[in-house]
């Protein structure tokens, strides 16, 4: 059994008499410790899949398993616990609290967890040991995204979900963030799933899931993922 399993997952939205299948029988697996990339153009269902996996949305049909548990059958209380303890989120926009320092933004996440890591140590791991007392307005875009990654990692989640984490960053800063995520996967064994529209990033992943029109049409496994430093896009 794989760590993450999507089995014929559907998500439908109705607009008048038109039914849109945002997820149209999505099936894929991700192994524990993988850095997986879900890639596809805008509107292919990537974010829908990530939201279902993160417990922020439900599916209409199919099965979604994480660590052997059917999360789509969780009741409301268990789903809240799943989001709180088991999943870390990194978004395109940083969603930091502006009147809290970098350290305080990370401390918020640790206060709701039961197996949280030291906020200071996590910020040091992402290269912000000297910026603990700075507010978001005093940080660059790349530094703010590092804080958001530290906030997600500090919960010590089972899985880290990243929604276009470099979309608001310039090329060099984006490359640094992707290197951080790749190193985190290798060094900690955390399962990381990242969605992007940029196919040039796929060589960095252990597993690549290609989506089109709400469906997975191909999955590839990279036996020898490339370092982000060697990838140009």
């Amino acid at each position: 059994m794989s760590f993450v399993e999507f089995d014929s997952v559907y998500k439908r939205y109705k607009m008048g008499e038109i039914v849109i299948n945002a997820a149209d029988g999505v099936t894929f697996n991700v192994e524990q410790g993988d850095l997986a990339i879900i890639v596809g153009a805008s509107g292919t269902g990537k974010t829908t899949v990530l939201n279902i996996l993160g417990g922020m949305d439900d599916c209409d049909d199919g099965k979604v398993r994480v660590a052997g548990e059917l999360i789509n059958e969780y009741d409301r209380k268990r789903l809240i616990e799943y989001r709180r303890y088991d999943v870390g989120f990194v978004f395109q926009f940083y969603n930091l609290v502006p009147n809290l320092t970098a350290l305080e933004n990370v401390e918020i996440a640790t206060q709701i967890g039961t197996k949280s890591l030291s906020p200071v140590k996590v910020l040091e791991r992402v290269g912000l040991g000297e910026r603990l007392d700075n507010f978001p307005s005093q940080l660059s875009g790349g530094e703010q995204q590092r804080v958001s990654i530290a906030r997600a990692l500090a919960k010590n989640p089972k899985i880290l979900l990243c929604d276009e984490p470099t979309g608001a960053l310039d090329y060099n800063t984006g490359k640094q963030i992707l290197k951080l995520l790749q190193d985190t996967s290798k060094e900690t064994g955390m399962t990381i799933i990242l969605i992007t529209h940029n196919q040039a990033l796929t060589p960095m992943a252990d597993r690549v899931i290609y989506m089109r029109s709400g469906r997975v049409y191909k999955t590839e496994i990279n036996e020898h993922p490339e370092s982000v430093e060697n990838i140009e896009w």
Side-chain angles (χ1 to χ4, degrees):
M1 181 178 291
S2 298
F3 185 66
V4 174
E5 297 181 352
F6 267 58
D7 184 3
S8 300
V9 172
Y10 289 83
K11 180 64 180 179
R12 304 180 183 93
Y13 295 98
K14 192 169 183 179
M15 300 179 64
E17 296 183 358
I18 300 174
V19 176
I20 298 172
N21 289 311
D24 192 9
V26 172
T27 298
F28 67 84
N29 299 330
V30 174
E31 300 301 327
Q32 188 163 17
D34 273 357
L35 169 57
I37 287 181
I38 301 176
V39 64
S42 177
T44 54
K46 305 185 304 295
T47 298
T48 298
V49 166
L50 206 71
N51 288 344
I52 292 171
L53 181 55
M56 295 188 293
D57 204 351
D58 56 2
C59 61
D60 295 313
D61 288 300
K63 297 178 181 179
V64 182
R65 287 187 177 90
V66 177
E69 296 192 12
L70 279 169
I71 68 167
N72 59 296
E73 293 185 355
Y74 283 166
D75 59 22
R76 183 174 179 274
K77 181 177 182 293
R78 182 65 186 93
L79 200 58
I80 291 171
E81 292 173 345
Y82 170 73
R83 289 195 299 263
R84 177 177 294 173
Y85 303 127
D86 297 339
V87 185
F89 296 97
V90 178
F91 300 101
Q92 178 175 344
F93 300 103
Y94 325 120
N95 297 319
L96 301 179
V97 181
N99 61 338
L100 297 182
T101 65
L103 179 58
E104 290 166 342
N105 266 282
V106 176
E107 285 175 338
I108 288 176
T110 64
Q111 291 170 3
I112 64 173
T114 57
K115 51 181 180 175
S116 300
L117 307 176
S118 163
V120 172
K121 289 183 179 179
V122 176
L123 282 164
E124 288 174 347
R125 186 198 300 172
V126 302
L128 292 177
E130 303 298 319
R131 306 287 265 164
L132 303 180
D133 297 323
N134 288 98
F135 293 95
S137 62
Q138 298 170 318
L139 301 173
S140 68
E143 288 171 332
Q144 290 184 63
Q145 188 63 296
R146 285 173 182 266
V147 174
S148 73
I149 292 171
R151 180 180 58 194
L153 293 176
K155 292 169 55 178
N156 199 18
K158 292 180 180 178
I159 186 169
L160 184 65
L161 305 179
C162 307
D163 187 354
E164 298 275 9
T166 63
L169 302 174
D170 63 72
Y171 173 80
N172 289 326
T173 305
K175 204 164 191 177
Q176 293 171 9
I177 294 299
L178 292 173
K179 179 69 163 57
L180 172 61
L181 292 171
Q182 189 177 52
D183 289 347
T184 297
S185 175
K186 289 180 179 178
E187 293 168 7
T188 69
M190 182 175 292
T191 305
I192 299 176
I193 298 180
L194 182 155
I195 67 172
T196 182
H197 64 277
N198 190 349
Q199 292 202 21
L201 303 182
T202 58
M204 70 175 278
D206 299 296
R207 185 179 302 260
V208 185
I209 299 155
Y210 294 86
M211 290 194 68
R212 180 195 299 138
S213 302
R215 298 178 180 178
V216 172
Y217 69 92
K218 181 171 64 171
T219 299
E220 291 180 342
I221 296 174
N222 292 330
E223 297 293 346
H224 303 287
E226 290 189 32
S227 170
V228 171
E229 295 173 323
N230 300 327
I231 298 174
E232 301 291 335
W233 68 86

